[in-house]
Amino acid sequence: MLTGCQDRRGTRHWWRAAGVIAVAGALALSGCSSKSDSGAGPSTETTAAKAEKVDEIAATVPDDIKNSGKLIVGVNIPYAPNEFKDPSGKIVGFDVDLMNAIASTLGLTADYREADFAKIIPSIQQGTFNVGMSSFTDTKERQQSVDFVDYFSAGILWAQRPGSPIDPNDACGKKVAVQATTTEETDELPAKSKACTDAGKPAIEILKFDGQDAATNAVVLGQADAMSADSPVTAYAIKQSNGKLEAAGEIFDSAPYGWPVAKGSPLAQSLQKALEHLIETGDYKTIAGNWGVEAGMITKPTINGGTS
């Protein structure tokens, strides 16, 4: 069964022209100005919600983390609008605003540490990071290694160039761009490509990129026919493309995003309680609304809620 959503992040870039980088920057950052700009995109200010410490919830944090005063968060960027850098180099995004509010509720300060996506879960297992924050899909396979606190629901959404329609269910012989190591690369597209070849049709040519910006630009520049990514990421890319991209089909294969923590760690319950609090106060909705991702909001956070 396809899980949808993200494994996220890879280590390969097989092309990186200067023009591509320039387009990537424009796509990632255009429209990301403050709310005071009329008609502008979502704010990159991490002030959408000002959460306060809740002593009862903060008391549940494991002593070693509580005593440090920091919540060490492993993150891989860019993956707008969830986590990326603004023009000043500051890490911003929906996930960042939400994790900052979670940390504040727990009486902690979020300390973001950049890492390769594939190394985040091993680093959590080794105790280097307390929690991961990179649009992880909560899956049964991953639950064998870590526990997940689910905070959002996302699906897969394809994008294409206007006037060049692509059917995500019949993309045989097409070039489709993805971020390497994502579920779209490892599960969704291989399964669809196999269905093509089993039917005697040409395989899908899967173009794998280290970063989502590069995958998006491959479509914009005509090097790929379409891209496949998590629904909030694709929706954001379309919005920032200034008409160069449009949705191809509808959202499908929804699954939960989760924050991975060490297996059996009581930190999972602390994060869950903090998120429940932010949902009750409305701060969760405020943060989601600031980034235009309300469609993926949940009403009750769970631990290891992934079922596929």
Side-chain angles (χ1 to χ4, degrees):
M1 176 179 179
L2 296 177
T3 62
C5 312
Q6 286 303 111
D7 274 14
R8 281 222 16 215
R9 308 314 195 244
T11 57
R12 300 184 296 277
H13 254 312
W14 56 272
W15 55 266
R16 188 184 274 273
V20 170
I21 296 173
V23 175
L27 286 178
L29 298 173
S30 64
C32 301
S33 53
S34 69
K35 293 185 199 176
S36 61
D37 294 338
S38 177
S43 171
T44 57
E45 296 297 325
T46 54
T47 55
K50 287 291 188 181
E52 301 293 338
K53 178 181 178 182
V54 178
D55 291 338
E56 181 181 356
I57 301 175
T60 69
V61 175
D63 287 342
D64 58 336
I65 299 175
K66 186 189 308 179
N67 293 336
S68 74
K70 294 181 179 181
L71 186 65
I72 301 176
V73 184
V75 60
N76 182 249
I77 54 178
Y79 206 66
N82 298 342
E83 47 268 324
F84 62 105
K85 288 183 179 179
D86 68 9
S88 72
K90 183 179 182 181
I91 298 176
V92 297
F94 164 66
D95 281 351
V96 180
D97 282 358
L98 185 56
M99 185 59 73
N100 285 343
I102 289 287
S104 294
T105 302
L106 298 176
L108 303 170
T109 299
D111 182 357
Y112 297 103
R113 309 281 180 87
E114 291 187 59
D116 290 342
F117 181 79
K119 295 179 180 179
I120 292 177
I121 285 180
S123 294
I124 291 169
Q125 292 176 301
Q126 295 162 8
T128 305
F129 301 148
N130 302 134
V131 60
M133 184 203 74
S134 279
S135 306
F136 283 93
T137 297
D138 174 4
T139 67
K140 284 296 185 182
E141 180 180 359
R142 286 196 176 129
Q143 289 170 16
Q144 297 176 21
S145 303
V146 290
D147 289 329
F148 284 93
V149 181
D150 299 333
Y151 65 95
F152 192 78
S153 178
I156 295 176
L157 180 63
W158 283 35
Q160 63 193 17
R161 291 184 304 281
S164 302
I166 299 292
D167 182 356
N169 295 312
D170 185 13
C172 305
K174 302 295 185 180
K175 296 179 179 180
V176 182
V178 292
Q179 184 165 347
T181 76
T182 62
T183 298
E184 286 84 358
E185 184 236 322
T186 61
D187 294 347
E188 182 217 352
L189 288 176
K192 287 181 174 176
S193 184
K194 183 177 184 301
C196 290
T197 56
D198 286 350
K201 299 179 181 180
I204 295 173
E205 185 175 348
I206 305 171
L207 305 184
K208 309 168 189 178
F209 296 94
D210 182 25
Q212 181 57 47
D213 286 347
T216 300
N217 285 325
V219 184
V220 172
L221 300 177
Q223 297 183 350
D225 298 300
M227 58 169 269
S228 179
D230 288 8
S231 52
V233 174
T234 300
Y236 186 79
I238 291 170
K239 185 173 184 178
Q240 304 309 310
S241 74
N242 295 319
K244 295 182 178 68
L245 295 174
E246 64 182 13
E250 304 294 331
I251 296 172
F252 57 93
D253 288 341
S254 293
Y257 278 166
W259 297 311
V261 300
K263 197 70 183 172
S265 171
L267 179 61
Q269 285 74 29
S270 301
L271 295 171
Q272 182 186 32
K273 290 179 183 296
L275 183 53
E276 288 174 343
H277 172 73
L278 295 176
I279 291 173
E280 291 172 0
T281 63
D283 287 337
Y284 174 72
K285 183 177 181 179
T286 298
I287 293 168
N290 187 54
W291 291 98
V293 297
E294 301 96 322
M297 291 192 307
I298 62 172
T299 58
K300 185 174 179 57
T302 59
I303 295 176
N304 295 332
T307 58
S308 58

